[in-house]
Amino acid sequence: MMCAAVTASAEQVQGDFVYELSEDGKTAVLLQYKGKGGQVKVPDKLGGKPVANIGTNAFRGCKELTELALPEGLTEIGEYAFWYCSGLSAVQWPSTLKKIDGYAFFGCTALTEVKLPDHIQNIGNWAFSGCSNLSAVSLPDSVRIVGSGALDNTAWYNRQPDGNVVIGHCYYKYKGVMPDNYTVTVRENITVVADSAFSDCETLVSVTLPDGLTRLGNSLFFHCKRLFAVTIPDKVTEIGENTFAGCNQLKSVTLPDSAVSVGKNAFADCLTMATVVLPHSLQRIGEDAFVGCPQLYEVIYIGTREEFDRIQMEEGTRKRLEGNLIFAVSSEDITEDSVTHLPTVPEAKRRPVQQQVSNETSGR
């Protein structure tokens, strides 16, 4: 039986491989494998161009595939690329690989070991989930993003005891039923926390994150309804999508001076949030980042009007923030004397800035 998948337009064929060239014509994207499986070596070049990407669905459902050798120069493996290749037992990884997209090896039940190369940075959602015999996993220090459920339903994950699950430098998730009014301290040698690591942990009240963290991932604290205390480390540059969505008890948050982007719905439905401090380093705020925050009466921006106007955000978010916007000179000592209130901020809705914010900033 031949393996087949959905193909894209502008395709070309070389042997068992359907491919297309990248937009700049410098590399090739493998779109589809049409061979009979067994031991497969993906060629270094297709159409005379180095293979840089394995496309979405390229080997999807190829149960006859047993061993796979990927070429040097490959940088990305697309979504569902080897989805349910249930006979695949061994993969030779190239040192150039940087990204494995979501569901790429989902359901590869014959895989028993994955030792990823040293330069890989991003492992997508559910990338190896359902690899039921995968018992040995190694993540290099280069990994910066681990998606939701990337290692769920594997032999490795199933043998982990309930509680905090860690793999190398990555805090993977809290496993099992969390005790009531629970506090988590993530140890200092951790530099990555996987997306959704604390999602739906409704009894989590406080988290201490390590200083080396640079990203708060997608849905990290999604629906942590009792979470009221979290200090964002000073090196964090990115707040992901839905990171704090539904954190009903989170009353204030201060983004560090390193923060560059806030994702879509990052603080959506934080029903009691009253104060947000935004740094001048901020460049992007995603759609509906603060939607459903009816108590948000103070948005303190550390910078000037010109700097705030340069932040990329959709118009609805801009109007929502500007209705309660305050400019401050410095985050070190936010007081009534160091801020400039916009005339549009209703006095009746504004509490003393020093009372609201000094506790937040003093903990940084």
Side-chain angles (χ1 to χ4, degrees), residues 297-299 321-326 340-350:
Y297 294 145
E298 286 191 328
V299 179
L321 296 181
E322 286 195 345
N324 302 287
L325 187 60
I326 301 168
T340 302
H341 296 284
L342 291 182
T344 55
V345 179
E347 289 291 342
K349 292 183 177 181
R350 189 190 311 137

Side-chain angles (χ1 to χ4, degrees), residues 131-135 153-160:
C131 296
S132 55
N133 289 300
L134 180 58
S135 59
N153 302 312
T154 63
W156 171 83
Y157 180 72
N158 291 340
R159 73 167 183 264
Q160 302 302 313

Side-chain angles (χ1 to χ4, degrees), residues 32-319:
Q32 179 186 1
Y33 172 68
K34 301 179 70 173
K36 296 181 179 180
Q39 297 178 343
V40 174
K41 183 180 186 300
V42 176
D44 296 340
K45 294 183 178 181
L46 289 171
K49 304 297 181 181
V51 176
N53 299 79
I54 305 292
T56 300
N57 296 318
F59 289 78
R60 179 171 178 153
C62 186
K63 297 179 180 179
E64 295 80 13
L65 177 66
T66 58
E67 295 183 21
L68 176 69
L70 298 172
E72 288 296 318
L74 184 73
T75 59
E76 182 174 354
I77 298 173
E79 291 185 335
Y80 300 96
F82 298 94
W83 188 82
Y84 274 110
C85 290
S86 55
L88 179 61
S89 61
V91 179
Q92 179 181 320
W93 306 96
S95 63
T96 52
L97 187 63
K98 295 187 181 301
K99 185 178 182 182
I100 298 175
D101 289 331
Y103 299 88
F105 292 89
F106 186 97
C108 292
T109 54
L111 270 181
T112 59
E113 180 180 8
V114 168
K115 186 177 182 180
L116 295 172
D118 286 341
H119 298 292
I120 193 165
Q121 298 175 2
N122 189 330
I123 301 170
N125 297 337
W126 311 99
F128 294 96
S129 180
C131 296
S132 55
N133 289 300
L134 180 58
S135 59
V137 182
S138 176
L139 299 185
D141 291 343
S142 58
V143 171
R144 289 292 172 262
I145 298 175
V146 176
S148 301
L151 297 170
D152 279 15
N153 302 312
T154 63
W156 171 83
Y157 180 72
N158 291 340
R159 73 167 183 264
Q160 302 302 313
D162 284 356
N164 300 306
V165 178
V166 174
I167 177 169
H169 67 297
C170 173
Y171 181 99
Y172 183 63
K173 66 163 53 177
Y174 188 91
K175 182 181 180 182
V177 179
M178 183 174 282
D180 199 29
N181 296 322
Y182 196 68
T183 296
V184 171
T185 298
V186 180
R187 65 193 192 202
E188 279 299 322
N189 67 328
I190 296 297
T191 57
V192 175
V193 177
D195 292 0
S196 303
F198 299 103
S199 182
D200 290 310
C201 290
E202 296 188 2
T203 59
L204 179 66
V205 296
S206 176
V207 176
T208 300
L209 298 171
D211 292 338
L213 212 59
T214 60
R215 175 180 179 268
L216 300 188
N218 298 337
S219 301
L220 180 57
F221 298 107
F222 181 77
H223 276 194
C224 291
K225 295 182 178 180
R226 296 192 203 174
L227 180 66
F228 70 87
V230 57
T231 300
I232 300 176
D234 287 341
K235 295 180 181 179
V236 167
T237 61
E238 177 187 354
I239 311 294
E241 296 184 359
N242 298 296
T243 300
F244 291 95
C247 292
N248 295 341
Q249 299 303 313
L250 194 62
K251 291 179 170 55
S252 66
V253 65
T254 297
L255 302 189
D257 292 339
S258 55
V260 173
S261 65
V262 174
K264 180 179 179 180
N265 294 113
F267 296 95
D269 300 321
C270 290
L271 300 180
T272 62
M273 181 175 288
T275 302
V276 172
V277 181
L278 305 176
H280 73 280
S281 58
L282 203 58
Q283 298 177 15
R284 294 177 300 278
I285 298 177
E287 182 181 356
D288 291 333
F290 295 95
V291 71
C293 299
Q295 301 299 317
L296 183 57
Y297 294 145
E298 286 191 328
V299 179
I300 301 176
Y301 179 69
I302 312 301
T304 66
R305 158 58 77 178
E306 289 183 352
E307 290 172 325
F308 181 82
D309 288 344
R310 286 197 291 266
I311 300 175
Q312 299 175 21
M313 67 184 92
E314 50 96 23
E315 193 59 29
T317 297
R318 187 174 296 278
K319 288 181 179 179

Side-chain angles (χ1 to χ4, degrees), residues 342-360:
L342 291 182
T344 55
V345 179
E347 289 291 342
K349 292 183 177 181
R350 189 190 311 137
R351 291 176 291 167
V353 179
Q354 186 173 9
Q355 177 183 346
Q356 285 189 305
V357 184
S358 60
N359 289 338
E360 183 74 22

